[in-house]
């Protein structure tokens, strides 16, 4: 477990799949997590999620963990509230893509996502020795963009009208954070 001020990151367990099933089929929670990917992210069966869990267990060998890994996000009092992951690790450029989703609505806008992001970044920069981490979101997700900027991410690109959410087009916002920027911000 990786422990922070508000949350801890744990390996995914089978019991997490039922909560994930509920969240991914909750249209509001899924919309904020997936944007225009709602159709493929949501409307998923419990059996499909269990199959994904089994795949994650098989991929939990050390060599696979260096390429990608999914964590469950728990509060310090043991409440499962979401997930985060890293993937597409490039060992030559020392880069990775991340994702984070606090799915339990009662924990939104209370610092849980920021603490999750800080733990994940610290793990990636200090333990996996990465140099750059990137992510993307949709321009209508202002709460996520604020959390990412608060953690030091900068907007590096924009794919105009690349997302379609609730009958409206939004931009895909591409953000990045360099190791030196992360550690500089940590000093401040």
């Amino acid at each position: 477990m990786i422990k922070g001020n508000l949350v801890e990151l744990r390996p995914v367990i089978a019991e997490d799949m039922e909560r994930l099933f509920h969240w991914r089929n909750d249209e509001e929670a899924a919309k904020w997590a997936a944007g225009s990917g709602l159709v493929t992210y949501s409307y998923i069966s419990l059996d499909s999620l269990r199959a994904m869990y089994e795949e994650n267990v098989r991929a939990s060998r050390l060599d696979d963990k260096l390429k990608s890994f999914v964590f469950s996000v728990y509060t310090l009092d043991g409440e499962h509230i979401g997930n985060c992951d890293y993937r597409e690790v490039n060992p030559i450029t020392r880069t990775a893509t991340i994702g984070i989703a606090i799915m339990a609505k009662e924990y939104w806008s209370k610092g849980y996502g920021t603490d999750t992001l800080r733990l994940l970044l610290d793990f990636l920069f200090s333990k996996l020795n990465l140099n750059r981490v990137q992510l993307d979101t949709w321009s209508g997700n202002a709460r996520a963009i604020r959390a990412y900027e608060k953690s030091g991410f900068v907007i590096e690109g924009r794919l105009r009208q690349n997302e379609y959410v609730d009958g409206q087009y939004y931009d895909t916002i591409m953000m990045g954070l360099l190791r030196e920027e992360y550690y500089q911000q940590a000093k401040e």
Side-chain angles (χ1 to χ4, degrees):
M1 288 186 272
I2 303 169
K3 198 172 204 176
N5 297 323
L6 297 173
V7 301
E8 58 188 14
L9 308 183
R10 301 179 182 179
V12 176
I13 59 173
E15 291 79 25
D16 295 343
M17 294 302 102
E18 292 198 24
R19 286 179 292 278
L20 192 56
F21 169 75
H22 169 74
W23 293 328
R24 286 183 65 163
N25 287 290
D26 176 312
E27 195 165 319
E28 182 184 15
K31 174 179 82 170
W32 294 114
S36 63
L38 173 69
V39 173
T40 56
Y41 183 82
S42 197
Y43 316 113
I44 190 165
S45 71
L46 185 54
D47 287 340
S48 295
L49 286 172
R50 287 182 176 139
M52 289 168 56
Y53 165 73
E54 292 300 326
E55 178 60 31
N56 195 46
V57 168
R58 281 192 295 279
S60 65
R61 298 184 324 245
L62 179 59
D63 57 332
D64 289 330
K65 281 184 190 176
L66 296 176
K67 298 175 190 166
S68 66
F69 195 74
V70 178
F71 295 99
S72 286
V73 178
Y74 277 79
T75 63
L76 295 181
D77 60 359
E79 192 73 29
H80 180 211
I81 63 171
N83 62 344
C84 66
D85 75 292
Y86 63 90
R87 58 195 175 280
E88 301 166 5
V89 174
N90 183 322
I92 297 168
T93 60
R94 296 178 27 228
T95 60
T97 300
I98 65 168
I100 173 175
I102 302 301
M103 302 292 286
K105 297 175 192 176
E106 61 272 24
Y107 292 93
W108 290 355
S109 299
K110 295 182 180 174
Y112 291 90
T114 300
D115 196 40
T116 300
L117 192 54
R118 183 186 58 78
L119 289 176
L120 183 59
L121 291 170
D122 189 61
F123 174 79
L124 293 172
F125 288 127
S126 67
K127 303 292 189 241
L128 292 189
N129 195 30
L130 295 183
N131 185 57
R132 181 180 190 286
V133 174
Q134 64 191 33
L135 57 83
D136 67 73
T137 189
W138 54 291
S139 59
N141 196 349
R143 183 174 56 235
I145 294 169
R146 276 193 309 275
Y148 300 143
E149 289 177 332
K150 184 177 174 182
S151 297
F153 280 85
V154 296
I155 295 175
E156 297 179 332
R158 178 181 296 267
L159 301 175
R160 297 175 304 140
Q161 295 187 9
N162 193 52
E163 306 278 342
Y164 190 73
V165 181
D166 290 340
Q168 185 176 341
Y169 284 101
Y170 292 90
D171 297 347
T172 298
I173 305 297
M174 301 160 71
M175 304 179 82
L177 176 64
L178 300 176
R179 175 190 188 93
E180 64 193 44
E181 296 167 338
Y182 174 74
Y183 286 116
Q184 180 62 39
Q185 182 173 347
K187 288 181 189 177
E188 296 173 357

